[in-house]
């Protein structure tokens, strides 16, 4: 995984089912672009123009 | 729409969806079915002599529980309707205490007392005020319904807030549906906002709703914050939450 990669974030399954009920706009998967990779295994990804911090293990490079 | 099933499939479907089984007895077989909306699941159980396995199972374990009204009706034909906010398979709970890591009802007490320094925080406290934050959580997902606030000796200007908080290391969705990993404890809902308390309220002030919250994941936690004037050294109180949850004891 590198900066600029297009990635697919997948929400951990058991968490998604519960959080979906609190935010109807949420979807289990969302595409984004890698902005920065941190040393602690976390990745900054831009989703829909919003920079977010997620775990690398929850991303798939497209 | 009709869907033909084997008896084993039909009875498992009935059990998993809490459906009502119906049957008609013919000379050589039972026609057995259940419906879910406009879908009818059905099967045929042959009658043999000696009895076959499906026939034995149906006649001995299911037959006398069948043919209950799918929609209960009054004598004048009007259907019974039932409206409630309680989610399926949940029960109503009134609690003045959170859960511990392993047990229900022995966690943080939802009380405060400004005659001591317990639970005091300084983040974001307005000038001339002080604040206690009571942090609590539940072992299982919960649905918050109502609540009652009891307070004593509360000075003018005192107020209460309750937040739902995503702990550091867990995900939450922002208002745009974008997921975020919380790097610190992050309030994601502020459902009691600057609720005023003053004087004595021994009978409790009820915060009522006609509905209940969405399911709140069990790894989320709650902050009950009580903010009072700096000069307060005597007020105290408690909160009781009315909520729904799947279990009330760890058995």
């Amino acid at each position: 995984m590198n900066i600029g990669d297009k990635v697919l974030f997948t929400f951990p399954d058991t968490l998604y089912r519960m959080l979906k009920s609190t935010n109807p706009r949420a979807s289990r998967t969302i595409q984004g672009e890698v902005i920065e990779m941190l040393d602690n295994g976390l990745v900054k990804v831009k989703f829909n123009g919003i920079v977010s911090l997620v775990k690398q293990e929850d991303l798939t490079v497209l | 729409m009709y869907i033909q099933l084997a008896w084993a499939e039909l009875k498992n479907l009935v059990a998993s969806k809490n459906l009502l089984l119906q049957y008609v007895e013919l000379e050589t077989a039972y026609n057995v079915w259940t419906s879910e909306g406009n879908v009818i699941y059905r099967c045929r159980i042959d009658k043999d002599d000696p009895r076959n396995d499906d026939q034995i199972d149906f006649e001995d374990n299911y037959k006398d529980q069948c043919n209950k009204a799918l929609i209960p009706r009054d004598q004048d034909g009007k259907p019974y309707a039932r409206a409630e906010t309680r989610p399926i398979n949940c029960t109503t709970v009134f609690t003045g205490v959170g859960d511990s890591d392993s047990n229900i009802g022995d966690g943080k007490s939802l009380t405060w007392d400004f005659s001591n320094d317990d639970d005091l925080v300084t983040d974001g406290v307005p000038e001339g005020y002080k604040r206690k934050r009571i942090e609590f959580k539940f072992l299982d997902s919960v649905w918050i319904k109502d609540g009652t606030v009891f307070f004593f000796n509360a000075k003018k200007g005192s107020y209460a807030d309750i937040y739902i908080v995503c702990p550091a290391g867990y995900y939450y969705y922002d208002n745009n549906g974008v997921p975020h990993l919380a790097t610190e404890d992050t309030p994601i809902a502020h459902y009691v906002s600057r609720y005023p308390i003053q004087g004595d309220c021994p009978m409790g002030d009820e915060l009522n709703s006609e509905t209940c919250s969405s399911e709140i994941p069990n790894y989320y936690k709650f902050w009950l914050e009580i903010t009072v004037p700096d000069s307060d050294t005597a007020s105290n109180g408690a909160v009781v939450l009315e909520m729904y949850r799947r279990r009330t004891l760890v058995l």
Side-chain angles (χ1 to χ4, degrees):
Chain A
M1 184 178 297
N2 298 295
I3 293 172
D5 280 353
K6 304 295 183 190
V7 289
L8 182 71
F9 170 84
T10 303
F11 215 96
D13 183 46
T14 55
L15 309 185
Y16 168 72
R17 283 202 301 271
M18 288 190 281
L19 292 178
K20 176 73 173 171
S21 68
T22 64
N23 191 333
R25 295 183 65 184
S27 64
R28 189 180 173 203
T29 59
I30 182 171
Q31 289 189 33
E33 179 183 336
V34 175
I35 300 298
E36 184 179 356
M37 300 183 66
L38 307 180
D39 293 337
N40 54 7
L42 302 181
V43 182
K44 285 187 179 177
V45 180
K46 185 178 278 188
F47 298 109
N48 298 334
I50 298 171
V51 176
S52 170
L53 193 66
V54 298
K55 295 179 184 175
Q56 185 170 343
E57 65 199 53
D58 298 321
L59 294 173
T60 305
V61 178
L62 297 173
Chain B
M1 177 182 185
Y2 293 93
I3 298 176
Q4 191 74 27
L5 298 173
W7 165 240
E9 295 170 323
L10 181 62
K11 70 177 185 179
N12 287 339
L13 187 80
V14 166
S16 66
K17 294 190 172 184
N18 293 328
L19 301 175
L20 293 169
L21 210 53
Q22 313 288 316
Y23 78 93
V24 170
E25 184 170 0
L26 307 174
E27 188 171 341
T28 58
Y30 295 100
N31 281 338
V32 186
W33 76 92
T34 189
S35 66
E36 185 182 26
N38 60 356
V39 178
I40 293 178
Y41 301 96
R42 62 185 181 185
C43 81
R44 174 188 167 96
I45 299 174
D46 290 330
K47 292 165 68 175
D48 296 328
D49 187 13
R51 299 191 299 167
N52 63 62
D53 289 347
D54 286 355
Q55 184 183 359
I56 292 171
D57 186 29
F58 176 72
E59 290 179 342
D60 294 355
N61 302 316
Y62 292 87
K63 186 177 176 182
D64 62 357
Q65 297 297 316
C66 291
N67 290 347
K68 292 177 179 169
L70 294 176
I71 301 173
R73 294 177 187 276
D74 208 340
Q75 286 184 339
D76 60 4
K78 292 178 179 175
Y80 283 99
R82 177 174 168 176
E84 60 175 292
T85 59
R86 183 171 57 88
I88 292 173
N89 297 328
C90 286
T91 189
T92 307
V93 177
F94 300 88
T95 185
V97 64
D99 297 344
S100 67
D101 287 333
S102 59
N103 208 357
I104 292 174
D106 62 355
K108 184 74 172 174
S109 177
L110 312 187
T111 59
W112 66 91
D113 185 347
F114 279 94
S115 69
N116 62 48
D117 291 337
D118 296 347
D119 304 315
L120 282 174
V121 294
T122 56
D123 302 347
V125 181
E127 183 80 22
Y129 284 79
K130 57 185 175 183
R131 175 175 293 162
K132 286 180 183 274
R133 176 180 295 160
I134 293 90
E135 181 177 298
F136 58 100
K137 61 184 180 180
F138 298 104
L139 272 182
D140 308 309
S141 299
V142 297
W143 292 254
I144 299 293
K145 189 176 189 308
D146 299 338
T148 305
V149 189
F150 305 83
F151 48 89
F152 303 89
N153 306 316
K155 292 196 169 210
K156 181 181 179 182
S158 303
Y159 59 90
D161 294 272
I162 301 182
Y163 297 87
I164 300 171
V165 178
C166 176
Y170 288 90
Y171 283 112
Y172 65 92
Y173 285 111
D174 69 15
N175 294 338
N176 297 299
V178 171
H180 294 267
L181 188 72
T183 54
E184 59 184 12
D185 289 354
T186 305
I188 58 163
H190 186 187
Y191 83 95
V192 175
S193 183
R194 208 167 178 136
Y195 192 81
I197 54 177
Q198 182 177 345
D200 291 342
C201 190
M203 295 295 288
D205 187 8
E206 293 188 22
L207 286 72
N208 290 316
S209 69
E210 299 302 320
T211 180
C212 71
S213 74
S214 300
E215 182 177 10
I216 300 170
N218 61 340
Y219 57 88
Y220 278 6
K221 53 190 181 182
F222 296 80
W223 287 349
L224 162 63
E225 291 188 345
I226 305 297
T227 305
V228 301
D230 257 339
S231 57
D232 183 347
T233 56
S235 75
N236 60 85
V239 161
V240 170
L241 294 177
E242 179 184 357
M243 63 186 194
Y244 303 121
R245 64 186 305 171
R246 293 189 178 90
R247 56 180 182 166
T248 56
L249 291 169
V250 176
L251 299 174

